[in-house]
Amino acid sequence: MGCMSYMDCMRWLFVSLSQWLRNPPPHVSGYKRRCSRVLGVVVISALFFAQSARSTPAVYEKRVVNYHQVDLGPLFEWWDRRKGVRPLASWMHVEGFLERETAYGWLVRGTIEGQNGLQYFLLRNPPQKELARLRELENSLPELEQQRASELGVAKQPMYDGREWNAYGELVRSPTQNYDRIEQAQTNLQDLDTRIADIRQQMATMLDKRGNFRVDAFALDMNQNYQGSPVFDFGFPSY
């Protein structure tokens, strides 16, 4: 297997840890599972934010514009170091938030590299995959939160009812009839909390402080205008 890039390694580690936390090996005790899930929320947060910070706006190294493939690798490397002559001068760094979708692309309000102030610009062939992912996450939250409310109602019930003598003559707490169901609800609640926290953390990297979808990308300056706004082309990712 060839060497993976930093972003690929972070993505693999993030996915692997998430899967382990949701389905730990059978030999892991209940207490250790609960501890690992709490720690996992923190670790997942760190991994995801590290990955997001690294991948924006330097994503989709290979793009296709007007049937021509473009390698943005040199620009991405320059962006990380900011030394020497900037390559691919026609590819501008644009940043802002999605104002609305149009038949021609996204109308974005934000900043354009080399220009002062906020302005509107059109982003052709925008990264629809990211916006679709945000909507998928948004749509999954209500069901998970409803499940959480249901499990919470069970998990908050008392697990013990008084005390009793065991076979060894020890006075121990007496579990209620619903003990197993309550314990399972508590485990399910922790799983749901991890999943909900994961989703909210992903969404936080996609939204600005006002809840608008963030746009942060390199795009080709087309030297065109759309209703008075400059036009840029994100291009199609070359997989």
Side-chain angles (χ1 to χ4, degrees):
M1 182 171 62
C3 295
M4 293 190 295
S5 66
Y6 172 88
M7 188 171 68
D8 290 333
C9 289
M10 293 299 293
R11 185 180 297 111
W12 175 84
L13 185 57
F14 174 80
V15 172
S16 298
L17 179 59
S18 299
Q19 292 174 344
W20 191 93
L21 290 170
R22 290 170 188 168
N23 298 286
H27 65 270
V28 178
S29 68
Y31 174 76
K32 289 183 178 179
R33 290 188 187 201
R34 289 191 289 270
C35 291
S36 66
R37 290 189 182 102
V38 173
L39 176 62
V41 173
V42 178
V43 176
I44 285 176
S45 302
L47 288 175
F48 189 85
F49 280 109
Q51 175 185 333
S52 300
R54 179 78 180 186
S55 63
T56 302
V59 293
Y60 301 118
E61 185 173 303
K62 302 292 178 63
R63 314 262 187 96
V64 176
V65 178
N66 294 330
Y67 304 100
H68 295 287
Q69 181 168 295
V70 181
D71 182 3
L72 299 181
L75 177 56
F76 292 176
E77 293 178 6
W78 178 89
W79 184 258
D80 285 339
R81 298 177 177 84
R82 309 292 180 95
K83 293 182 179 179
V85 179
R86 184 196 191 284
L88 300 170
S90 296
W91 285 80
M92 299 286 101
H93 176 221
V94 294
E95 187 174 10
F97 65 88
L98 176 59
E99 179 73 20
R100 72 172 186 271
E101 297 178 80
T102 76
Y104 305 100
W106 291 351
L107 186 64
V108 180
R109 185 168 187 248
T111 59
I112 300 171
E113 183 182 355
Q115 301 183 25
N116 296 323
L118 295 174
Q119 58 182 300
Y120 288 99
F121 57 87
L122 183 75
L123 186 62
R124 288 174 46 186
N125 303 312
Q128 297 285 1
K129 182 179 178 181
E130 281 71 12
L131 183 58
R133 176 58 178 163
L134 173 64
R135 288 171 175 165
E136 178 185 346
L137 293 171
E138 288 177 332
N139 292 335
S140 67
L141 268 181
E143 181 178 353
L144 290 175
E145 290 174 341
Q146 184 176 4
Q147 292 178 22
R148 186 187 186 283
S150 177
E151 295 291 350
L152 181 61
V154 177
K156 292 175 67 176
Q157 296 179 16
M159 299 182 69
Y160 298 94
D161 182 17
R163 294 180 179 272
E164 63 182 4
W165 299 96
N166 63 13
Y168 301 98
E170 300 171 333
L171 188 63
V172 296
R173 301 175 71 184
S174 175
T176 63
Q177 188 174 9
N178 292 329
Y179 179 90
D180 291 339
R181 181 176 172 225
I182 296 170
E183 185 178 45
Q184 184 60 54
Q186 291 177 350
T187 299
N188 294 343
L189 189 63
Q190 292 164 353
D191 288 337
L192 288 167
D193 284 342
T194 300
R195 294 171 63 186
I196 291 172
D198 176 14
I199 289 174
R200 291 194 181 281
Q201 288 152 13
Q202 292 186 55
M203 290 175 57
T205 65
M206 300 179 184
L207 303 173
D208 63 14
K209 294 180 179 179
R210 296 184 178 181
N212 299 310
F213 180 70
R214 293 178 59 247
V215 176
D216 189 2
F218 288 108
L220 180 63
D221 186 352
M222 302 302 293
N223 293 314
Q224 299 173 1
N225 282 282
Y226 167 78
Q227 297 181 352
S229 300
V231 178
F232 295 85
D233 197 331
F234 183 86
F236 295 100
S238 179
Y239 298 102

